[in-house]
Amino acid sequence: MIITVSREFASGGRELGKRLADYLGIPCYDHQIIEAVAKDTDMTENFVAGLSEKFMHSFYPATIGRNFGASYYAVNQSVQVAVAEHEFIKKVAKSGDCVIVGRAADEVLRDEVLFSFFVCADDDSKIARCKQRGQDAEKLSDKEILRKCKDIDKDRCNYRSLYSAKKWGEASSYDLCINTSGKEIKELVPAIAEYIKVWYGTKQNG
Amino acid sequence: MIITVSREFASGGRELGKRLADYLGIPCYDHQIIEAVAKDTDMTENFVAGLSEKFMHSFYPATIGRNFGASYYAVNQSVQVAVAEHEFIKKVAKSGDCVIVGRAADEVLRDEVLFSFFVCADDDSKIARCKQRGQDAEKLSDKEILRKCKDIDKDRCNYRSLYSAKKWGEASSYDLCINTSGKEIKELVPAIAEYIKVWYGTKQNG
């Protein structure tokens, strides 16, 4: 049972992945992917996190600027992080059942029998989730929070497009898309787990 | 419990709606919408079906042509069908729990607490489903079948855009999107029903 989670920023996708993994008694790989890559390279965790799922974002502004040498280096590091993350994802998928959050894992593992889902939410829910998380959100207006969400989603969308013809966020690109607007994630988890169990059952029979 | 089903053509959405309604012991409105509108107007069921969910399709080619009088009449009939369908949908939604297939019912009933889902499938599954259904599909090549599917979906997408700012087929426009590719619809129904029950439970508490 390999479950991949794509998600809009502040949709609760990370929480959903973690809670689902706990419910099913299997590991969830999210920040662990960054930790593993940082360990295998000479980069810090913060540096890896900054490049993770942000390929195009680093690429375009960098090569338009004058300092091509430095920008080429930045692109190179983004590629290095993506490759290392994908290698790690392939390794953990081979080692047993798991949930993997982000990094276009469904496409990295496209030859495996896996269940892919996408998590989204409406603007009000995203603003509420960002404020609940705290961090920088307290200093931002609702409009600024949504702008931040959209910028991060644009990165994720562009990142995915490098590895997949299946578009980020489109219903037909995933096995299931879940809208968490106004819902408690923990309340949805048992029903999602049930759905996936049924899905795997019919997949094995079919 | 009001459940609305939007669907790609040949994705199994109609079957899913019917089976889900049967499983939950509530009525499913699909072709019944056409029957009711035909009864209330002087149109035949076939004529209503031909105009149903096809507003823009009738509109654009008609007004580009020379015979504006006749085309205006066709547009007028499309509007008449859409209005009558939406009135019928509002009426059945008031009368109790139900499943409603198509006609942008989630947007027609946007002031109600409802559960909306979208059903999609990949090309291979659609071709297989069309061939299984028989009808005209036997005479068509796979390419022609897919062209037909896409044309009907374009109609549905345009039709929805008249009534909703939420885009047809986008994950964030629905509570759940289900990809039926390679799956037996009947096997997925219990898990979907469970999901909806949980969803309604948390909605009432939240």
Side-chain angles (χ1 to χ4, degrees):
Chain A
M1 196 184 273
I2 300 165
I3 300 166
T4 64
V5 185
S6 297
R7 73 290 184 220
E8 287 179 355
F9 185 74
S11 66
R14 167 186 283 192
E15 182 188 345
L16 188 42
K18 181 74 180 76
R19 284 187 184 273
L20 184 64
D22 288 348
Y23 187 88
L24 294 167
I26 60 179
C28 177
Y29 297 101
D30 181 4
H31 194 77
Q32 295 85 337
I33 300 172
I34 289 168
E35 288 167 24
V37 168
K39 219 172 183 177
D40 280 355
T41 61
D42 57 354
M43 303 175 194
T44 65
E45 283 181 25
N46 272 349
F47 193 76
V48 172
L51 293 177
S52 191
E53 297 183 275
K54 281 181 189 162
F55 193 102
M56 297 296 277
H57 188 63
S58 310
F59 190 72
Y60 276 129
T63 51
I64 289 163
R66 272 181 291 179
N67 194 343
F68 187 76
S71 63
Y72 178 78
Y73 186 65
V75 174
N76 202 25
Q77 282 183 314
S78 291
V79 174
Q80 200 185 338
V81 166
V83 168
E85 288 192 333
H86 294 177
E87 286 309 309
F88 179 76
I89 286 168
K90 284 177 193 165
K91 195 174 77 182
V92 297
K94 278 208 181 349
S95 70
D97 296 350
C98 60
V99 174
I100 304 168
V101 179
R103 286 94 188 164
D106 53 329
E107 286 299 301
V108 173
L109 302 171
R110 64 167 73 102
D111 297 331
E112 310 285 336
V113 176
L114 58 82
F115 183 88
S116 65
F117 70 89
F118 181 79
V119 186
C120 61
D122 64 19
D123 289 350
D124 288 347
S125 299
K126 285 178 185 172
I127 291 167
R129 186 164 276 114
C130 283
K131 286 183 175 171
Q132 205 180 352
R133 274 188 202 164
Q135 296 167 341
D136 298 334
E138 290 152 9
K139 299 172 212 152
L140 302 175
S141 69
D142 289 359
K143 211 173 158 184
E144 287 168 329
I145 290 174
L146 284 178
R147 163 64 47 207
K148 190 186 156 194
C149 291
K150 280 194 200 312
D151 284 349
I152 294 172
D153 285 348
K154 204 173 165 191
D155 271 340
R156 290 177 179 176
C157 179
N158 287 336
Y159 175 85
R160 185 183 173 89
S161 71
L162 293 173
Y163 304 102
S164 176
K166 293 182 181 177
K167 282 191 186 158
W168 186 86
E170 272 195 11
S172 56
S173 302
Y174 309 90
D175 293 308
L176 198 71
C177 297
I178 296 162
N179 192 331
T180 60
S181 302
K183 311 302 292 179
E184 287 286 335
I185 302 284
K186 63 182 173 195
E187 313 245 14
L188 293 175
V189 165
I192 298 166
E194 183 61 25
Y195 188 93
I196 295 173
K197 280 182 197 167
V198 169
W199 190 92
Y200 262 98
T202 59
K203 196 81 182 178
Q204 275 152 7
N205 298 336
Chain B
M1 197 185 271
I2 300 166
I3 301 166
T4 64
V5 185
S6 296
R7 72 288 185 223
E8 287 179 355
F9 185 73
S11 67
R14 168 185 283 192
E15 182 189 345
L16 187 42
K18 181 75 180 77
R19 285 187 184 273
L20 184 63
D22 289 348
Y23 187 87
L24 294 167
I26 61 179
C28 177
Y29 297 101
D30 182 3
H31 194 75
Q32 295 86 336
I33 301 172
I34 288 168
E35 287 166 25
V37 169
K39 221 173 181 176
D40 280 354
T41 61
D42 56 354
M43 303 175 194
T44 65
E45 282 181 25
N46 272 349
F47 193 77
V48 173
L51 293 177
S52 191
E53 297 182 276
K54 281 181 189 162
F55 194 102
M56 297 296 277
H57 187 63
S58 310
F59 189 72
Y60 276 128
T63 50
I64 289 163
R66 273 181 289 178
N67 194 343
F68 187 74
S71 62
Y72 178 78
Y73 186 65
V75 173
N76 203 25
Q77 283 184 314
S78 293
V79 174
Q80 201 184 338
V81 165
V83 168
E85 288 191 334
H86 294 176
E87 286 309 309
F88 180 76
I89 285 167
K90 284 176 192 166
K91 196 174 77 180
V92 298
K94 278 209 183 344
S95 70
D97 296 350
C98 60
V99 174
I100 304 169
V101 178
R103 284 96 188 165
D106 53 328
E107 286 299 301
V108 173
L109 302 171
R110 63 167 76 101
D111 296 331
E112 310 284 335
V113 177
L114 58 81
F115 182 88
S116 64
F117 69 88
F118 181 79
V119 186
C120 60
D122 63 20
D123 289 349
D124 288 347
S125 299
K126 285 179 185 173
I127 291 166
R129 186 163 277 114
C130 284
K131 287 183 174 170
Q132 205 180 350
R133 275 188 202 163
Q135 299 165 340
D136 297 335
E138 290 154 8
K139 299 171 210 151
L140 302 175
S141 69
D142 288 0
K143 210 174 160 184
E144 286 167 329
I145 290 173
L146 284 179
R147 164 63 47 204
K148 190 187 154 193
C149 291
K150 280 193 200 314
D151 285 348
I152 294 173
D153 285 349
K154 204 174 167 190
D155 270 339
R156 291 178 179 176
C157 179
N158 286 336
Y159 174 84
R160 185 184 175 88
S161 71
L162 292 175
Y163 304 102
S164 176
K166 294 181 179 176
K167 282 192 187 159
W168 186 87
E170 272 195 12
S172 56
S173 303
Y174 309 91
D175 293 307
L176 198 72
C177 297
I178 296 162
N179 191 331
T180 60
S181 303
K183 310 303 292 179
E184 287 285 337
I185 302 283
K186 64 182 171 194
E187 313 245 13
L188 294 176
V189 166
I192 297 166
E194 182 61 25
Y195 188 93
I196 295 173
K197 281 182 199 167
V198 169
W199 191 92
Y200 261 99
T202 58
K203 195 82 183 180
Q204 275 151 7
N205 297 336

